[in-house]
Amino acid sequence: MQSGEVITLVVRDIERLRAALIADGRVPTITLPPIAVAPGEGRIALDIVLPPGYKVNDLAPSSVRWSIDGGITLPADADRSLAGMRFPLELSATFTAAGTLTAEIALIYCEATKPKVCLIEEVRLVAPFTVASHGAPVLALRYTLSFRP
C-alpha cells in the first residue's frame, strides 16, 4: 500500500474454473419462485441490487450467461458482458411453453467513489416459469447481494 503500486493477478482458463466451481457446489444456486408469463413477445428483467455506495466495475470481466430448458427464445446476444452495467438489464424474449431459465452471473463490483477494494460475486439464478394468458409480460429475476460493507 505504501508504494502505491497495483498488481493484477491474471487467471487463465477462467471458464473451466467457473464450471468446476459450479459443479462442486461452490457457486450458490438460487431457485426463484415460479412465475406465470404471457405467451408471445415479452421481456426478461435481470435486477441485481448492489450494496449502497457500490457499482459494477467498468473494466473487469463481469458477465451473464443464459441456459434455457423449455419454451423461451432470447436474442442471440443475450450472453453478454456486465462491465459497468446499471441494473436492471432488460432483454426481449418470446415465451411459447413452460420451462426454466438459468442465469449464471459473475459480477465484480467496487466502491463507487473510491474504488480501493473490488469484490466478486458469482451466483446461479434458476427461474421456473409457466406460460398462461393471465401471465405477466416480464420474467423478472432479482438478486440482492448479501455483502454488507
Side-chain angles (χ1 to χ4, degrees), residues 49-128:
V49 181
L50 300 173
Y54 281 73
K55 68 175 187 171
V56 178
N57 186 290
D58 294 339
L59 304 174
S62 296
S63 63
V64 62
R65 288 187 358 196
W66 302 94
S67 301
I68 298 169
D69 180 18
I72 183 173
T73 304
L74 297 178
D77 66 346
D79 292 350
R80 62 182 61 196
S81 168
L82 298 176
M85 179 73 197
R86 293 180 189 263
F87 293 97
L89 166 66
E90 292 202 6
L91 300 171
S92 62
T94 303
F95 303 104
T96 56
T100 303
L101 178 65
T102 302
E104 292 182 11
I105 301 162
L107 199 64
I108 301 170
Y109 62 104
C110 312
E111 294 173 309
T113 56
K114 297 179 185 177
K116 294 179 184 175
V117 175
C118 290
L119 303 163
I120 300 171
E121 180 81 9
E122 288 194 274
V123 67
R124 183 180 216 204
L125 301 179
V126 179

Side-chain angles (χ1 to χ4, degrees), residues 13-75:
D13 205 4
I14 192 76
E15 290 305 316
R16 191 173 74 178
L17 174 61
R18 180 178 293 152
L21 292 174
I22 290 170
D24 234 7
R26 295 185 191 185
V27 172
T29 297
I30 297 170
T31 301
L32 303 171
I35 186 169
V37 293
E41 296 299 315
R43 293 187 327 274
I44 303 295
L46 174 63
D47 192 13
I48 299 177
V49 181
L50 300 173
Y54 281 73
K55 68 175 187 171
V56 178
N57 186 290
D58 294 339
L59 304 174
S62 296
S63 63
V64 62
R65 288 187 358 196
W66 302 94
S67 301
I68 298 169
D69 180 18
I72 183 173
T73 304
L74 297 178

Side-chain angles (χ1 to χ4, degrees), residues 5-12 59-61:
E5 290 184 39
V6 176
I7 299 172
T8 302
L9 171 65
V10 177
V11 179
R12 300 201 190 286
L59 304 174

Side-chain angles (χ1 to χ4, degrees), residues 122-148:
E122 288 194 274
V123 67
R124 183 180 216 204
L125 301 179
V126 179
F129 63 92
T130 59
V131 177
S133 59
H134 66 278
V138 177
L139 176 56
L141 292 80
R142 184 177 173 95
Y143 178 68
T144 301
L145 290 171
S146 59
F147 170 74
R148 298 291 178 236

